Amino acid sequence: MGRKTIKRRLGNRHIEGKDFQLADEIRYIQRRAAEHDGRFVTVGSLALFSTYTGDAWLLDPEDHFAARLARDGDPEEVYLEETDARFAIGWKGKYRIEGDAFVYIDKDSGRVVTILGYPIRWIAEWG
């Protein structure tokens, strides 16, 4: 397995793969959301971000999967199984970018939510 690098925008930090735990990065981004602090973190092919409104998300650009990690500063549950070699995530829905909007489609309810003010430029550049 190759080295994974974690990149955090607004105070970038790199972490080598052997030191990487996805659960730690999820808790980090949830803490940033609780502080209403905008951050953008990439972990291999995944991205996590928090916003000034207290929201936080975990995204997979390849399949456009999304899991909300926090809403209005309050953490939300996400299913995660993690070992030293791999992890599994319980994706709750899918996302897409439409202009300046982040559009989330909930897997269970089919509900579509359009949100403005997210770091669309970073999401688009990364994905």
Side-chain angles (χ1 to χ4, degrees):
M1 185 164 124
R3 294 184 332 174
K4 288 191 174 137
T5 300
I6 297 171
K7 296 180 183 178
R8 293 179 176 167
R9 293 197 180 180
L10 298 180
N12 287 346
R13 184 172 136 201
H14 299 285
I15 301 171
E16 294 300 320
K18 64 183 183 325
D19 299 324
F20 158 73
Q21 293 289 317
L22 184 57
D24 292 342
E25 294 306 311
I26 288 172
R27 283 189 295 277
Y28 167 80
I29 211 72
Q30 286 174 322
R31 285 192 309 272
R32 301 299 2 116
E35 296 293 324
H36 295 265
D37 183 20
R39 294 281 190 237
F40 191 88
V41 178
T42 58
V43 180
S45 64
L46 302 176
L48 301 91
F49 71 91
S50 61
T51 69
Y52 298 109
T53 62
D55 292 346
W57 292 84
L58 172 62
L59 306 177
D60 175 348
E62 187 173 316
D63 296 312
H64 290 270
F65 291 138
R68 187 189 297 258
L69 302 175
R71 183 187 317 229
D72 297 324
D74 296 323
E76 294 207 358
E77 293 288 322
V78 62
Y79 174 81
L80 173 66
E81 274 187 37
E82 187 171 29
T83 68
D84 288 341
R86 51 181 67 199
F87 54 82
I89 300 164
W91 298 105
K92 298 178 183 181
K94 294 193 124 193
Y95 78 95
R96 66 178 180 259
I97 304 300
E98 292 182 0
D100 290 337
F102 178 88
V103 179
Y104 173 70
I105 305 96
D106 185 83
K107 179 175 67 171
D108 294 331
S109 69
R111 181 174 175 227
V112 177
V113 179
T114 302
I115 305 167
L116 299 174
Y118 279 2
I120 300 300
R121 188 187 92 234
W122 286 352
I123 295 168
E125 285 176 11
W126 159 79

